Amino acid sequence: MKNCLRKKCQKEFEPNKPKQVFCSDKCRVYWNREKKASLIPETKILTHEEAVQIKKAIAKQFKERYNVEVPYLEKEIPPIPTKLPNEDSVDFAGRKSEWKLKYGNL
Ligand SMILES: [Zn+2]
């Protein structure tokens, strides 16, 4: 008799083959799934260094795609512009497309 390798199960079973470590195919599949899930923490808090790395990667992509340098990346991204009470709609469209060019697709 052996005990199933899957921690959540650990059922005693009679192996059909000497190498068998799981009581069932279901446990083998679940064990693999659980192992994979454990490698990727559900909530990962980025360190400052990791965040900078990601920003740099985004800046690189942006440069390749639009051929634009992105020196503002270290700053916070401002909210998307909303139309001001007396603003001309052409001016507003201009401000909005400028924002999209700078911060869209990031
Ligand atoms: Zn099992």
Side-chain angles (χ1 to χ4, degrees):
M1 292 293 265
K2 275 189 185 178
N3 284 89
C4 181
L5 187 67
R6 186 172 164 237
K7 280 215 168 71
K8 283 179 186 169
C9 176
Q10 294 188 325
K11 198 170 83 185
E12 253 194 289
F13 70 102
E14 197 64 62
N16 296 324
K17 295 176 205 152
K19 281 186 179 175
Q20 193 179 341
V21 288
F22 300 105
C23 69
S24 62
D25 278 346
K26 194 183 129 192
C27 271
R28 184 174 49 77
V29 170
Y30 275 59
W31 183 84
N32 275 302
R33 232 180 253 172
E34 286 157 8
K35 198 178 161 206
K36 258 186 215 158
S38 73
L39 296 175
I40 308 158
E42 278 179 32
T43 50
K44 179 161 167 52
I45 296 164
L46 295 177
T47 64
H48 176 71
E49 194 58 32
E50 285 171 324
V52 167
Q53 288 305 313
I54 289 168
K55 280 184 175 181
K56 280 183 182 168
I58 291 169
K60 190 166 164 270
Q61 265 184 17
F62 202 84
K63 192 172 186 306
E64 282 165 2
R65 200 181 298 173
Y66 301 105
N67 196 27
V68 182
E69 290 289 348
V70 279
Y72 49 81
L73 257 191
E74 291 301 317
K75 293 178 204 161
E76 287 296 309
I77 295 175
I80 189 159
T82 49
K83 198 171 180 307
L84 301 171
N86 296 314
E87 190 177 27
D88 186 87
S89 53
V90 176
D91 289 344
F92 169 61
R95 281 200 308 122
K96 206 166 143 185
S97 62
E98 192 185 346
W99 186 94
K100 277 189 180 166
L101 182 68
K102 277 186 177 174
Y103 309 110
N105 299 313
L106 287 184

